[in-house]
């Protein structure tokens, strides 16, 4: 690990200026990902700018019934917030499913959105990895790829996106607020995570020096009965093999609204548009859920060790849909 300098700031404009003016600098918030990457030599900033003192950590109810999550709001605080638990249980559960209690007490919402992949080849300085060293290849494609993606992949990268919270926020159609050298802008969460394509090293449309100040979650009445289901090798401190965030509204025995996010199976938090289209207007029953799940996974590209994820994702989706439907009908 090479030496680096440390600066602590308390003003958002100063933080942006400090990082934007130096291409070898990086923001430091909770540090649960960045510090690890610095230790193993994958991230090599010359300077880190500590932003924990910035006034962007509040969790606020919006006038329209939504909620604004500060970029520095801690994951544990968001999961425990009464508005989040009541109106967006899918997000509360996704947050509680991530990492460990200790890490959730440190990790921020902005950092969670910006976290890097957990692919072992990305973190191994000697392995070929197009994310870490563009043009070097992807060792995972012909290597140990049991935990890798089957959706949204390319010939350059099959690393799975690790965030649980981002899967829920994708289903909820959240909006990410950024502040950078050119001012403030907003990016819909559906555009915030970039598929690898030919540029796997670029994971977000965030420019150097831009800072996540907030995440806005719009009002979604059907989300009060939403569900997050995560399947993993062990109960705690483990990433998803497959997960599903489901918002469902049932009316007169049919699906009136469906929003589905998938995790653990794709290179980005995956919006299951094909499944949603198959569900709306269909009977709220098992056969409809199974058909939608199969339709969503039809484009999957499994590798040597992860073909099981296709069926696992289908089963996870169906179970989450059944649970969400039961809750929706219970309050209807």
């Amino acid at each position: 690990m090479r030496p680096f300098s440390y600066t602590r700031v308390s003003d958002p404009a100063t933080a942006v200026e400090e990082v934007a003016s130096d291409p070898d600098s990086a923001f430091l918030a909770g540090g649960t990902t960045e510090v690890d990457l610095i230790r193993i030599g994958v991230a090599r900033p010359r300077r880190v700018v500590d932003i924990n003192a910035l006034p962007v950590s509040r969790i606020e109810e919006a006038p329209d019934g939504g909620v604004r999550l500060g970029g520095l709001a801690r994951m544990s605080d968001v999961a425990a917030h009464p508005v989040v638990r009541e109106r967006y249980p899918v997000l509360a559960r996704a947050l509680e499913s991530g990492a460990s209690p200790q890490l959730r007490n440190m990790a921020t919402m902005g950092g969670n959105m910006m976290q890097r992949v957990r692919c072992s080849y990305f973190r191994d300085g000697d392995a070929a990895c197009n994310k870490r060293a563009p043009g070097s290849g992807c060792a995972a494609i012909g290597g140990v790829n049991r935990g890798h993606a089957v959706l949204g992949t390319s010939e350059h990268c099959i690393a799975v996106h690790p965030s649980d919270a981002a899967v829920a926020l994708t289903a909820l159609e959240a909006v990410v607020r950024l502040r950078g050298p050119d001012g403030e802008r907003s990016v819909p969460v559906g555009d915030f995570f970039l598929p690898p394509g030919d540029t796997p090293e670029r994971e977000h449309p965030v420019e150097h020096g831009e800072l996540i100040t907030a995440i806005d979650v719009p009002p979604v009445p059907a989300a009060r009965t939403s569900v997050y289901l995560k399947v993993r090798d062990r109960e705690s401190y483990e990433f998803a093999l497959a997960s599903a965030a489901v918002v469902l509204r049932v009316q007169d025995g049919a699906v009136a609204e469906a929003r589905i996010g998938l995790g653990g199976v794709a290179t980005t938090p995956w919006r299951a548009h094909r499944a949603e289209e198959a569900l709306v207007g269909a009977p709220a029953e098992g056969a409809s859920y199974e058909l939608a799940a199969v339709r969503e996974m039809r484009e999957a590209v499994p590798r040597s060790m992860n073909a099981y994820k296709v069926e696992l994702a289908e089963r996870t989706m169906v179970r989450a849909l059944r649970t969400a439907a039961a809750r929706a009908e219970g309050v209807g």
Side-chain angles (χ1 to χ4, degrees):
M1 182 175 73
R2 70 175 181 176
F4 58 87
S5 63
Y6 169 90
T7 304
R8 183 177 175 87
V9 298
S10 58
D11 174 65
T14 302
V16 168
E17 182 180 356
E18 289 284 336
V19 173
S21 63
D22 182 358
D24 289 327
S25 63
F27 294 118
L28 180 69
T32 56
T33 294
E34 188 69 16
V35 171
D36 284 346
L37 296 180
I38 292 174
R39 283 174 176 165
I40 62 178
V42 171
R44 298 173 62 84
R46 187 177 65 185
R47 181 177 58 154
V48 296
V49 178
D50 186 332
I51 58 173
N52 282 288
L54 299 189
V56 292
S57 61
R58 297 182 63 181
I59 305 168
E60 302 175 287
E61 183 176 359
D64 63 1
V67 65
R68 170 165 288 189
L69 311 174
L72 289 177
R74 305 293 164 171
M75 289 172 58
S76 56
D77 291 337
V78 175
H81 197 279
V83 172
V84 175
R85 299 193 73 82
E86 177 186 359
R87 300 180 189 175
Y88 310 100
V90 64
L91 178 57
R93 180 56 184 156
L95 287 163
E96 292 170 340
S97 297
S100 66
Q102 295 86 349
L103 290 175
R104 293 194 295 271
N105 286 336
M106 293 179 61
T108 65
M109 292 301 297
N112 185 279
M113 299 290 278
M114 293 294 294
Q115 67 179 299
R116 305 300 304 274
V117 296
R118 292 314 197 277
C119 174
S120 59
Y121 297 106
F122 170 72
R123 291 166 180 259
D124 178 355
D126 295 325
C129 174
N130 287 317
K131 281 188 178 296
R132 179 173 32 78
S136 64
C138 176
I141 290 178
V144 179
N145 50 43
R146 175 179 179 269
H148 285 70
V150 296
L151 292 170
T153 60
S154 77
E155 61 180 326
H156 303 291
C157 182
I158 60 170
V160 71
H161 193 276
S163 174
D164 292 288
V167 176
L169 291 169
T170 293
L172 294 169
E173 298 181 353
V175 175
V176 181
R177 306 292 182 186
L178 298 168
R179 178 169 182 167
D182 297 325
E184 299 181 353
R185 66 186 180 111
S186 302
V187 180
V189 72
D191 298 326
F192 188 78
F193 301 98
L194 304 179
D198 295 329
T199 55
E201 72 280 6
R202 186 164 171 77
E203 298 175 356
H204 312 93
V206 178
E207 302 298 333
H208 183 72
E210 281 195 305
L211 175 71
I212 296 178
T213 57
I215 301 168
D216 288 343
V217 187
V220 183
R224 291 176 180 267
T225 56
S226 55
V227 170
Y228 185 74
L229 177 62
K230 180 177 182 178
V231 179
R232 47 190 163 175
D233 284 326
R234 61 187 181 206
E235 182 60 25
S236 179
Y237 199 45
E238 186 64 273
F239 297 101
L241 295 174
S243 66
V246 172
V247 176
L248 206 66
R249 181 165 61 89
V250 177
Q251 184 174 338
D252 298 327
V255 176
E257 178 183 358
R259 301 178 182 211
I260 305 170
L262 297 180
V265 295
T267 55
T268 63
W270 190 261
R271 185 69 183 267
H273 290 294
R274 289 186 292 268
E276 293 173 357
E277 292 171 359
L279 282 168
V280 174
E285 60 185 27
S288 300
Y289 309 147
E290 292 168 7
L291 176 63
V294 170
R295 182 170 297 181
E296 186 60 44
M297 299 306 297
R298 190 173 293 164
E299 303 300 319
V301 180
R303 304 290 171 170
S304 58
M305 297 182 184
N306 66 357
Y308 73 95
K309 282 199 171 189
V310 177
E311 182 177 356
L312 182 63
E314 292 171 356
R315 289 173 176 262
T316 302
M317 215 182 317
V318 169
R319 181 177 169 188
L321 284 164
R322 287 181 181 273
T323 303
R327 292 182 183 179
E329 291 170 344
V331 299

